[in-house]
Amino acid sequence: MSGVTRRDLLVGSAAVLAAPAFAGIAAHRTFAAVDQSIEMHNLTHEIVQDMPTPGMMGFSADGPPPVIRMRQGETTAIEVRNRLDEASTVHWHGLRIKNAMDGVPYLTQSPIEAGESFRYRFTPPDAGTFWYHPHCNTLEQMARGMTGVLVVDDAEDPGFDQDLPLNIRDFRIGSKGQFLEFYKARNTARGGTLGTISTVNWRIDPSYDLPAGSLIRLRLAVTDLTRVGHYTLEGGEAHVIALDSNPVPAPMTIEAIEMGPGQRADIALRMPDSEGKRVELILRKPSGDLRLASFRATGQSARRQFAELKPLSPNPIPEPDLGTAETMEFVFGWSPAGDAPANPICGSLGYLFWSINRIAWQGDTPDPLAPLAVMKRGKSYILRLRNETPYDHPIHLHGLTFRLLRSNKRPIPPLLTDTALLKAEETMEVALVADNPGDWAFHCHVIEHQKTGLAGFLRVEA
């Protein structure tokens, strides 16, 4: 086997099981017209005023990642060029698209090597707020800045005056603007390593001028690696209209929304009528409230009212049949053996602290093609998610949307989501229809947990 690497074997094995998908990728590269393009770059950028941070990574050469916008039901091709000095991919978090376009290395595609490009082509069936990030060397690339907001505009305009995406995330930056270590092992084995500086759109406590008396759609996307927090708005009339890209059944108050990494909230905000009045986005923290951003009313009041907005249309997500649904059990806990990981091609933290169903995900090796469970296409399932640990785990399932059913710890609304915040020692049941064939990553979105074993994938048979 001279000249054949482990990478060749892994990609070859994946291609055997997913030949149509990989053939489709080749076709998209050759024939799809490019509607948008983004580039992965190394850069130096000033997060802290007057203290540039070298060694950042992003989807722009000189600043924050762009907001990618597309329309519901319209096919889009996005050319991704890798200007880094290492491999990467792009995952489109929350989008129910074809498996070949999901951006998980060796599960759905080969990594985009340094200097190469890849053309993603998909048709988003759902409107809402999503985001995008790498799935190779995930912790370091995301920690250095590679998280961006993706908006799929509604087929029918709901009538807001402005639409403002907010990329909410921490950075671990020291007193001289330098990056600190991205994780600490003792924290990784617990709740995760928090950032030192909280930002919105790569800025510390930014202020936005918005017309007085206008109706604003705030799109909160928590793209952080670790933080689970309560968010609220003070100083203006506001309510929640969508969570994790799906409209809520009735407008919800915004007293304190709890969100973990990967989750999103769309908020309808009516700006104050008086010029100069401010609305503040607040993060509730044990150490005290932190203002993340503020919104200042300007000009003469437009005197808009919430009643003028059209309700958001529900996304076309099939409703599971609970009467015939098969129940599958998933236990989230510590790694039973505490073994060191194999040498995964897309990076490792050097530890295996966590597991799903007593299996710690090794990364790309030794067997990247063994699913945690197999589901039949079109069949309904109830996933019973049991957290054996005293730490929160935002559990994200690629390619599918599920409905929250019940919890043994708290009342939960019957929301549709792709990321369930599983609280400490909580058992939660969710339901879905396995309508999208392929191998779908299933993991905790505290990235340290994901990279130390709390990951796997579910297979939906074609």
Side-chain angles (χ1 to χ4, degrees):
M1 294 184 62
S2 175
V4 179
T5 67
R6 180 179 59 194
R7 177 181 181 279
D8 296 328
L9 289 173
L10 286 171
V11 175
S13 299
V16 168
L17 290 188
F22 277 82
I25 290 173
H28 292 313
R29 282 186 170 185
T30 304
F31 299 112
V34 175
D35 299 308
Q36 303 185 53
S37 64
I38 55 175
E39 293 188 346
M40 302 172 174
H41 283 273
N42 296 294
L43 68 151
T44 296
H45 186 77
E46 194 175 282
I47 299 292
V48 181
Q49 186 174 358
D50 299 326
M51 289 193 296
T53 298
M56 295 189 69
M57 293 179 175
F59 293 98
S60 174
D62 56 3
V67 175
I68 296 177
R69 301 195 81 108
M70 54 192 69
R71 290 192 65 81
Q72 183 180 16
E74 294 184 2
T75 300
T76 299
I78 302 176
E79 183 86 6
V80 176
R81 298 183 181 91
N82 185 0
R83 307 293 191 194
L84 304 174
D85 53 8
E86 60 183 78
S88 192
T89 62
V90 180
H91 167 58
W92 316 97
H93 184 110
L95 289 183
R96 298 185 302 128
I97 56 180
K98 290 183 178 180
N99 191 245
M101 298 290 105
D102 194 50
V104 180
Y106 303 107
L107 197 63
T108 70
Q109 69 171 91
S110 299
I112 310 169
E113 300 290 348
E116 294 184 353
S117 63
F118 186 88
R119 190 168 299 175
Y120 294 91
R121 185 174 187 269
F122 50 80
T123 306
D126 306 321
T129 303
F130 305 87
W131 63 293
Y132 62 101
H133 65 84
H135 236 280
C136 190
N137 195 14
T138 314
L139 186 142
E140 182 171 345
Q141 291 186 6
M142 287 179 61
R144 291 184 183 275
M146 294 182 69
T147 64
V149 179
L150 186 153
V151 173
V152 179
D153 287 314
D154 304 84
E156 184 177 5
D157 182 3
F160 288 96
D161 296 300
Q162 289 193 33
D163 185 307
L164 181 57
L166 303 174
N167 183 348
I168 301 171
R169 56 158 300 161
D170 290 357
F171 288 93
R172 285 187 54 77
I173 294 177
S175 59
K176 297 181 180 180
Q178 81 284 9
F179 275 122
L180 302 175
E181 58 192 334
F182 297 132
Y183 70 95
K184 297 180 179 180
R186 65 179 180 274
N187 295 335
T188 301
R190 297 178 175 87
T193 306
L194 294 173
T196 60
I197 294 174
S198 295
T199 70
V200 171
N201 296 337
W202 281 28
R203 297 167 61 195
I204 300 171
D205 191 17
S207 178
Y208 297 89
D209 286 351
L210 298 169
S214 63
L215 296 176
I216 309 297
R217 183 172 184 168
L218 299 179
R219 298 179 183 266
L220 280 60
V222 180
T223 75
D224 193 61
L225 286 74
T226 306
R227 187 180 298 280
V228 175
H230 289 84
Y231 300 84
T232 192
L233 285 172
E234 294 182 351
E237 301 174 70
H239 54 254
V240 180
I241 57 174
L243 289 170
D244 296 336
S245 310
N246 290 288
V248 297
M252 300 170 59
T253 60
I254 191 177
E255 295 174 349
I257 307 168
E258 187 175 28
M259 291 191 290
Q263 296 190 290
R264 296 87 67 202
D266 288 43
I267 297 169
L269 167 66
R270 185 185 186 278
M271 289 295 293
D273 290 306
S274 301
E275 183 169 17
K277 290 285 187 181
R278 289 185 178 272
V279 180
E280 297 182 338
L281 174 63
I282 302 294
L283 170 64
R284 306 279 193 219
K285 299 173 66 176
S287 59
D289 290 355
L290 174 67
R291 187 175 69 189
L292 294 177
S294 61
F295 313 95
R296 187 175 74 95
T298 61
Q300 186 174 357
S301 177
R303 300 192 179 281
R304 296 289 308 279
Q305 301 299 324
F306 286 130
E308 300 173 45
L309 295 173
K310 298 175 183 177
L312 301 179
S313 299
N315 287 319
I317 297 167
E319 194 66 34
D321 182 348
L322 299 183
T324 63
E326 177 184 343
T327 299
M328 292 181 166
E329 304 271 353
F330 297 96
V331 177
F332 303 91
W334 283 285
S335 172
D339 296 333
N343 186 24
I345 297 161
C346 264
S348 165
L349 305 191
Y351 306 94
L352 287 179
F353 292 132
W354 302 94
S355 69
I356 302 178
N357 289 350
R358 318 300 182 200
I359 300 169
W361 179 246
Q362 293 269 353
D364 312 312
T365 59
D367 184 0
L369 303 174
L372 290 165
V374 177
M375 298 184 284
K376 296 183 182 300
R377 186 177 185 180
K379 183 176 171 59
S380 295
Y381 293 88
I382 293 172
L383 310 185
R384 183 173 293 133
L385 314 177
R386 182 156 59 92
N387 182 2
E388 290 188 328
T389 79
Y391 304 105
D392 296 345
H393 298 292
I395 303 301
H396 174 50
L397 176 59
H398 291 210
L400 299 164
T401 294
F402 49 84
R403 185 177 292 283
L404 305 182
L405 295 181
R406 61 188 68 90
S407 163
N408 68 334
K409 303 279 283 189
R410 57 191 168 124
I412 54 175
L415 300 173
L416 290 165
T417 181
D418 51 74
T419 309
L421 182 55
L422 192 60
K423 302 293 289 180
E425 299 177 342
E426 178 179 35
T427 297
M428 181 187 295
E429 291 186 348
V430 305
L432 59 81
V433 177
D435 63 333
N436 197 0
D439 290 343
W440 298 109
F442 185 48
H443 62 88
C444 177
H445 231 287
V446 173
I447 304 300
E448 291 163 82
H449 294 172
Q450 173 196 338
K451 295 297 289 184
T452 55
L454 216 163
F457 71 93
L458 309 183
R459 175 169 292 160
V460 177
E461 294 181 329

